Amino acid sequence: MKKSKTPPMKKSDEANEEQLQMALDQGQEYKTALDHMAKEEADDGGEVHIGDYIVAYAVEGAEGMYHMQKGILDWVEPGDENCHIEIAVRDAAD
Protein backbone atom coordinates (compact mmCIF):
# COMPACT_ATOMS: atom_id res chain seq x y z
CA MET A 1 0.00 0.00 0.00
CA LYS A 2 1.42 3.36 -1.02
CA LYS A 3 1.47 5.92 1.78
CA SER A 4 -0.08 9.26 0.95
CA LYS A 5 1.03 12.58 2.31
CA THR A 6 -0.40 13.91 5.55
CA PRO A 7 -3.40 16.12 4.75
CA PRO A 8 -2.56 19.83 4.83
CA MET A 9 -3.38 21.90 7.88
CA LYS A 10 -3.96 25.30 6.31
CA LYS A 11 -6.58 27.98 6.51
CA SER A 12 -9.55 27.47 4.17
CA ASP A 13 -13.21 28.35 3.88
CA GLU A 14 -13.81 25.34 6.16
CA ALA A 15 -11.45 26.28 9.01
CA ASN A 16 -9.55 29.37 10.07
CA GLU A 17 -6.16 29.31 11.83
CA GLU A 18 -7.70 29.38 15.31
CA GLN A 19 -9.91 26.40 14.49
CA LEU A 20 -6.96 24.50 13.02
CA GLN A 21 -4.96 25.12 16.21
CA MET A 22 -7.90 23.90 18.31
CA ALA A 23 -8.00 20.72 16.20
CA LEU A 24 -4.27 20.19 16.74
CA ASP A 25 -4.63 20.76 20.49
CA GLN A 26 -7.59 18.38 20.72
CA GLY A 27 -5.74 15.78 18.64
CA GLN A 28 -2.72 15.95 20.95
CA GLU A 29 -4.90 15.45 24.05
CA TYR A 30 -6.62 12.48 22.40
CA LYS A 31 -3.21 11.01 21.50
CA THR A 32 -2.10 11.44 25.12
CA ALA A 33 -5.14 9.45 26.29
CA LEU A 34 -4.57 6.73 23.67
CA ASP A 35 -0.87 6.48 24.58
CA HIS A 36 -1.80 6.04 28.24
CA MET A 37 -4.31 3.33 27.37
CA ALA A 38 -1.86 1.45 25.10
CA LYS A 39 1.30 1.84 27.19
CA GLU A 40 0.07 2.00 30.81
CA GLU A 41 -3.22 0.09 30.94
CA ALA A 42 -3.10 -2.53 28.18
CA ASP A 43 -1.02 -5.70 28.01
CA ASP A 44 -0.02 -4.75 24.46
CA GLY A 45 -0.65 -1.72 22.31
CA GLY A 46 0.70 0.61 19.71
CA GLU A 47 -0.11 2.58 16.61
CA VAL A 48 0.69 2.61 12.90
CA HIS A 49 0.55 5.45 10.38
CA ILE A 50 -1.32 4.30 7.27
CA GLY A 51 -1.87 6.87 4.55
CA ASP A 52 -3.85 9.80 5.94
CA TYR A 53 -4.70 7.98 9.17
CA ILE A 54 -3.16 6.71 12.38
CA VAL A 55 -4.58 3.44 13.72
CA ALA A 56 -4.00 2.73 17.41
CA TYR A 57 -4.77 -0.50 19.25
CA ALA A 58 -4.72 -1.89 22.77
CA VAL A 59 -5.15 -5.48 23.94
CA GLU A 60 -5.96 -6.36 27.55
CA GLY A 61 -7.76 -8.95 29.60
CA ALA A 62 -11.52 -9.21 29.14
CA GLU A 63 -13.51 -6.76 31.24
CA GLY A 64 -17.13 -6.00 31.87
CA MET A 65 -18.96 -3.34 29.93
CA TYR A 66 -22.34 -1.72 29.64
CA HIS A 67 -24.85 -3.14 27.15
CA MET A 68 -28.06 -1.40 26.15
CA GLN A 69 -31.00 -3.63 27.06
CA LYS A 70 -34.55 -2.37 26.55
CA GLY A 71 -33.36 1.23 26.64
CA ILE A 72 -31.37 0.81 29.87
CA LEU A 73 -27.61 0.43 30.25
CA ASP A 74 -26.89 -2.81 32.07
CA TRP A 75 -23.42 -3.84 33.34
CA VAL A 76 -22.40 -7.24 31.96
CA GLU A 77 -19.35 -9.17 33.20
CA PRO A 78 -17.32 -11.06 30.57
CA GLY A 79 -18.24 -14.69 29.99
CA ASP A 80 -15.81 -16.96 28.19
CA GLU A 81 -14.07 -14.01 26.52
CA ASN A 82 -10.35 -13.88 27.17
CA CYS A 83 -9.36 -10.46 25.82
CA HIS A 84 -10.60 -6.98 25.12
CA ILE A 85 -9.39 -5.21 21.97
CA GLU A 86 -9.70 -1.46 21.53
CA ILE A 87 -9.12 0.26 18.18
CA ALA A 88 -8.98 4.00 17.46
CA VAL A 89 -8.59 5.55 14.01
CA ARG A 90 -7.68 9.20 13.75
CA ASP A 91 -6.78 11.73 11.07
CA ALA A 92 -2.99 12.02 10.82
CA ALA A 93 -3.15 15.76 10.16
CA ASP A 94 -4.52 16.73 13.54
Side-chain angles (χ1 to χ4, degrees), residues 9-27 94:
M9 287 291 293
K10 59 185 176 182
K11 184 179 169 183
S12 69
D13 61 342
E14 295 293 320
N16 62 36
E17 289 186 28
E18 180 183 13
Q19 292 166 324
L20 290 170
Q21 186 59 54
M22 288 181 353
L24 287 171
D25 294 344
Q26 183 181 31
D94 58 11

Side-chain angles (χ1 to χ4, degrees), residues 30-49:
Y30 186 50
K31 180 181 181 346
T32 298
L34 290 175
D35 285 347
H36 176 78
M37 175 186 68
K39 296 174 183 172
E40 304 296 328
E41 300 293 327
D43 298 321
D44 185 27
E47 64 180 36
V48 63
H49 190 149

Side-chain angles (χ1 to χ4, degrees), residues 30 34 48 50 52-57 86-92:
Y30 186 50
L34 290 175
V48 63
I50 302 173
D52 294 340
Y53 301 96
I54 297 173
V55 179
Y57 71 93
E86 299 179 50
I87 305 288
V89 179
R90 62 191 200 275
D91 186 329

